Amino acid sequence: MLHTTPLLSVRNLYKKFSRDIRYNLYYGAQDLLGDTFGLKTEYLQLRKKEFWTLADINFDLFAGEILGIVGANGSGKTTLMRLIADIYHLEAGTIYGRPEQKITAVFALAAGMQPLFTGRENIYIKGSMYGMGKTEIDAKMAFIKDFSELGGELDRPFGNYSSGMRARLAYAIAIATEPDIFIIDEALAVGDSVFKAKCFDHLKEYVRQPDKAVLFVSNNIRKVLKVATQVLVMKKGRIIYESTDVKAALNHYILNCLDDLDEEQRQRKLRRVQKYDM
Amino acid sequence: MKRLEQSNISTLLTPLHPPRKGSLLYHWRNIFKNIHAYSFFIRQLVRINILRDFKRSYIGLLWLFILPVLSVIIWILLNGAGIVEPGETGIPYPAFVLLSTSIWGFFAELYRSTSRIFTERGNMMIMARFPHEVLVVERILVHLIRFSIPFLVNIVVLLLFGVRFTWLALLFPLTLLPLLILGMAIGLVVSLLRVVAVDIASLADHGINFLMFLTPVVYAPTIGIGWLSEAIRFNPLTYLIGFSRDVLTQGAFYEPAAWGICTALALLFFLFAVRFFVMSEPKVIERLIDN
């Protein structure tokens, strides 16, 4: 990688969750009262039934990178992305970035889409949710229409779209926001393979532009092999391995995170990683 | 993988998402800035909200007219069946009830919809980052639209009942403002509690329902039943609603001093509620679980 422009720097990030629903809500109420009356509680102290969903997370994202993040379910990947996207409140640690940079995060492609409204109406709805104005969306309309390959289907109700069409439209809208940091969290799990291939090609193309990078969260080994330029492996809220050698990182992931696989399945996955021709 | 030196970080980058603090003025400036930046999103949300219910219906928006007419008919029938004497109402009883309940609804409906922001839009909030005050504005705008159309029907009915308006009636929309900020303020506080303290939120819902019976809405303020008269006297909504109603139907100000005090209190509570909401709202998002 020749690029050295940093876009994001995450330092000493911690986040705790509660294992139990009632405790979760009780602590929420406690914190609400505490804040209102100015009582400070020490965030780095675990209370009963709490656990670290993220502990001591440190990494950098540079321009031109597609950083793959892998880890078993519940390892904290999505929580980390929600903190970076400012959806969850940052309590401990620092996320450095550029003040005006645009971060677009896609967690579920169809989130916020309205089934009773047409594809075109949904472009306005979703686009405006990402903070775009009318003129901005109008200017992007041709691109979205073209990228989603929906053509004449755009004026049909979104609810009548197939899951592939939905994914195509939603992905096209997200990318039309031209984010500096584009977060894709398992969002490409649906959709047809031709479109997925197109998305992967597009992502690689996208980060060639100056000052753009992608955070790509997925458990699908093949997808990570296809697009990632480097990989973080997460386990139980910690980064246990990081490397620019994607194959080595995936090896580590298979050997250390997939505890519920038997030896044979694991070997098969490992062979797939070894044989993959980047 | 390469890692930035701490000294480099601070020269090249700045911390993102700092905690919210600052003066009331700062928060308000921020709120208006966000509302302006996301005004197109607000427009889209309002549009969805109004049109969604009617998209599948054959007669569509006509429902907005049909429903109030139906409720008028019900009140007229109930009145004809001989409801208990509600006290001196000044105008025909069905007209009085119709107007009072619709003013009450203005307050209670706004409470209802703002207090459900996290439960109804939580799914959107955990999927994308946008300032959440836009959802509050959306609720208010939808509420105003949903209120004003049936209200025009009510005005016609009031005329049919022989109510005559004076020029003071033009002040009516302004007199709804204290009810708007009070309903919204209670709603904002309860919206957060609905995430972390469901029991208190349910209690508040029932409390608001019960409050209607302690407010002269289906009976006149002059009703003389011992403890109820006392409750009415100390209920701020008696004055806030009575003031609006009398401006419209009598061309007079109902208890202006008490109304002024209640309005000032509502405003103070509103400022507190907005600050409470802005400061605490980011922290409850992670507690949302039933999405």
Side-chain angles (χ1 to χ4, degrees), chain B residues 98-173:
Chain B
L98 185 72
L99 182 59
S100 306
T101 47
S102 97
I103 299 172
W104 170 264
F106 182 81
F107 161 78
E109 219 1 78
L110 195 59
Y111 158 78
R112 203 203 65 82
S113 78
T114 37
S115 78
R116 280 172 172 76
I117 281 185
F118 291 98
T119 32
E120 287 172 6
R121 292 264 187 238
N123 199 17
M124 214 177 234
M125 292 174 174
I126 59 164
M127 290 303 180
R129 174 63 201 148
F130 55 87
H132 298 150
E133 45 268 41
V134 307
L135 297 177
V136 181
V137 178
E138 171 224 353
R139 304 259 139 165
I140 296 171
L141 293 178
V142 168
H143 177 65
L144 291 177
I145 294 169
R146 281 183 192 274
F147 174 78
S148 46
I149 294 174
F151 193 77
L152 290 179
V153 178
N154 289 351
I155 294 286
V156 174
V157 175
L158 288 178
L159 283 171
L160 293 179
F161 270 113
V163 176
R164 291 292 166 261
F165 302 113
T166 67
W167 286 108
L168 267 182
L170 292 175
L171 288 177
F172 177 75

Side-chain angles (χ1 to χ4, degrees), chain B residues 235-264:
Chain B
N235 179 356
L237 285 161
T238 302
Y239 306 104
L240 294 181
I241 290 178
F243 192 84
S244 288
R245 182 178 52 218
D246 281 9
V247 156
L248 190 66
T249 60
Q250 323 262 324
F253 297 125
Y254 175 76
E255 302 271 359
W259 178 81
I261 294 168
C262 294
T263 299

Side-chain angles (χ1 to χ4, degrees), chain B residues 73-86 92-95 97 161:
Chain B
I73 292 172
I74 288 168
W75 276 113
I76 293 173
L77 288 176
L78 281 177
N79 186 52
I83 282 271
V84 225
E85 181 49 47
Y93 179 62
V97 171
F161 270 113

